[in-house]
Amino acid sequence: MFEIGTDEAGHVRISGRLDAAKAPRAQTFLDRQDGPCVINLGGLEYISSAGLGVLLRTHKRLMANGEGIRLVGVGPHLRDIFSYSGFDRLFDIETAADG
Amino acid sequence: MKASFPRRFSALTDIVTMTEAFFAGEGLDASLRPATDLCLEELFVNMVTYNTETKEPITIELQRHGQGIRAALTDRDVDRFDPRKVAPVDVELPLEQREPGGLGLYLVFKVADAVHYEYRERTSRITFTIEGKHD
């Protein structure tokens, strides 16, 4: 299962499994985002390097205009992956425990 | 448990289904699933992406390893590609120097406890182990 959309607060919400099969759909959606972008990952169970590539590509594009992505609701598995990949130094990340 | 999968990313759904069934059948700790899924996906995707001269399906075998799991991916009629010899990604680079790609194998070596590679008669076999918490 994979879902991506915009919630009532205007935040992007990604849930399910973001793998290599789903990454193109996520990239197409995020390519339409402009300005500062908050992505709620509270429902994201799993991410692979393909999903990380989608986030990095989008973050770099938005950062070119001084904006970028803020990731919220990041759970333990994702937190580990972000740490291993160095994304915790590239993104503004708010973990699920941080509320 | 053993099964073969076509060389396309959409097969990842069936690989996850297989892994889920294996974990349930063996009563393995579910906290090992993300690392297992990650290694299986990254290695499978790497084979599909770079071993483009073959049409052979990729075989995945899952075995219990104490409280953990050992998995093997076999790819036939391919050139040698030892993932242990790939230069590691520099994850310390600043954003402007980071590019998408290259993280897959790096993450495999971060989350797996062991990775082995064999190449014989144009067949690559990559085995990884995820140890259980009590091993």
Side-chain angles (χ1 to χ4, degrees), chain A residues 25-72:
Chain A
R25 191 173 139 205
Q27 189 69 69
T28 298
F29 184 92
L30 291 174
D31 282 349
R32 297 197 296 262
Q33 299 297 311
D34 280 319
C37 179
V38 178
I39 303 182
N40 188 328
L41 301 179
L44 190 65
E45 303 160 12
Y46 169 86
I47 191 167
S48 67
S49 67
L52 295 176
V54 170
L55 296 178
L56 180 61
R57 200 173 287 112
T58 305
H59 191 46
K60 288 189 74 164
R61 177 176 64 80
L62 295 177
M63 284 295 283
N65 297 324
E67 308 288 356
I69 291 176
R70 180 163 162 255
L71 302 172
V72 303

Side-chain angles (χ1 to χ4, degrees), chain B residues 80-107:
Chain B
R80 176 187 287 274
F81 175 75
D82 187 342
R84 299 170 303 180
K85 295 185 177 171
V86 174
V89 174
D90 185 354
V91 298
E92 305 289 334
L93 288 174
L95 180 65
E96 55 273 19
Q97 293 178 39
R98 291 289 297 266
E99 294 296 337
L103 274 173
L105 293 177
Y106 175 83
L107 289 174

